[in-house]
Amino acid sequence: MGSVLSQKTFPRLDESLLTHMPPFSRLEKNQIRTILDQATSRRYEAGAAIFEEGLPAERFYMLLDGYVRVVRITPTGEQVTALHIPAGQLLGIARALGRDTYPATAISASEAIVLSWPMRLWDSYVADYDGFATETYKTVGHRVGEMNNRIVELATQQVEQRVANALLRLINQTGRKVSDGIEIDFPITRQDLSELTATTLHTVSRLLSGWEKQGLVESKRKRIKVRDPHALVVLAQT
DNA sequence: ACATTAATTATGT
DNA sequence: ACATAATTAATGT
């Protein structure tokens, strides 16, 4: 029975949290219940590290709300953003990649709500729960595809096309439709964009203010809204 | 075609 | 008031 000695101070997690998340969507209610009971929930403020590159991968995570950027640190200390992860996806799934340390650092781009499980449960989840493996490998495949595209971009395209593409990806994956365009719905600085595209924040700043004058884009501090995605697509292909 | 440096201005707590 | 973000110009590779 519910003892006062319980260490869990969190309210009981609701099953509806997971029922619509792809890795769990095919599961029965009671299966989700046991999964939830094994989970720990935590809230991260913007900019907090959820796990760090190179550290032993002790847990895997499910992002319930917010956005996370996956970042790698170069030997010289610069950050390179590999990709952004929207709510509803797993992260820190080193196990699925055959690793026992995290391949990158995960930073919450906005406030984020995260569930996590000890990594030892991974194998039993894969074995026991139908759809868990296939769905997660689907997203893994999608992610490596994205990263491959980015590598090709970095090698072949010029800066203007790169940031145009980066913006397009951001509004596709993490965009929120508003009245006069699509807005990236987490705070993003020019510094962040430059880390995504391997340039400087100055170049990004110039490009953005140029596009703003052409009515292509609108931005306030830490907020970027794309008013004319198609024009960006055109730009990205020239 | 882009980075770097530096100076200036705007914006959020 | 202070720190952080963004712009702008000048100079360098």
Side-chain angles (χ1 to χ4, degrees):
Chain A
M1 290 317 215
S3 157
V4 263
L5 298 178
S6 167
Q7 294 204 353
K8 302 268 160 116
T9 55
F10 296 111
R12 205 143 197 265
L13 297 160
D14 194 277
E15 292 146 35
S16 63
L17 284 175
L18 287 185
T19 44
H20 298 105
M21 307 295 191
F24 306 104
S25 51
R26 302 202 208 156
L27 301 184
E28 299 297 324
K29 219 175 175 187
N30 60 327
Q31 294 179 305
I32 290 182
R33 185 69 260 159
T34 66
I35 288 176
L36 272 177
D37 286 340
Q38 292 169 316
T40 306
S41 91
R42 234 203 105 170
R43 182 182 154 277
Y44 294 86
E45 354 118 23
I50 297 167
F51 54 81
E52 287 189 69
E53 176 175 354
L55 265 45
E58 278 153 0
R59 309 183 70 82
F60 66 98
Y61 303 81
M62 157 66 75
L63 182 60
L64 285 184
D65 191 38
Y67 293 90
V68 166
R69 52 195 153 97
V70 175
V71 160
R72 300 214 47 193
I73 317 284
T74 67
T76 49
E78 300 136 82
Q79 292 196 353
V80 179
T81 305
L83 55 108
H84 285 84
I85 297 182
Q89 291 200 14
L90 295 170
L91 63 153
I93 47 180
R95 198 69 205 242
L97 309 172
R99 307 192 36 146
D100 52 359
T101 62
Y102 295 116
T105 298
I107 312 264
S108 57
S110 57
E111 197 183 70
I113 312 285
V114 174
L115 292 185
S116 74
W117 296 265
M119 195 61 88
R120 58 176 172 78
L121 291 177
W122 179 267
D123 290 319
S124 55
Y125 280 19
V126 167
D128 297 347
Y129 299 124
D130 186 38
F132 183 81
T134 57
E135 286 299 331
T136 64
Y137 283 108
K138 209 183 283 180
T139 72
V140 168
H142 186 253
R143 282 185 204 170
V144 310
E146 285 251 333
M147 293 175 73
N148 275 334
N149 288 338
R150 288 196 353 96
I151 291 171
V152 174
E153 276 180 34
L154 288 180
T156 61
Q157 301 186 324
Q158 315 213 108
V159 182
E160 190 177 31
Q161 290 71 304
R162 296 211 300 269
V163 314
N165 274 120
L167 261 186
L168 286 171
R169 260 196 311 278
L170 283 170
I171 62 172
N172 277 334
Q173 295 160 20
T174 70
R176 180 170 47 91
K177 276 144 205 125
V178 289
S179 55
D180 53 349
I182 308 173
E183 188 175 62
I184 299 169
D185 81 339
F186 60 84
I188 184 163
T189 66
R190 282 120 227 261
Q191 174 76 40
D192 294 332
L193 256 180
S194 73
E195 283 166 6
L196 263 172
T197 52
T199 29
T200 62
L201 73 154
H202 308 263
T203 304
V204 172
S205 178
R206 289 193 197 90
L207 287 171
L208 279 183
S209 29
W211 293 343
E212 178 134 29
K213 276 170 193 154
Q214 302 168 40
L216 238 169
V217 149
E218 220 170 280
S219 67
K220 306 183 195 303
R221 148 182 281 237
K222 290 194 177 189
R223 289 275 156 197
I224 301 176
K225 177 169 62 183
V226 178
R227 308 197 58 176
D228 190 349
H230 183 253
L232 268 188
V233 177
V234 175
L235 255 179
Q237 285 164 349
T238 56

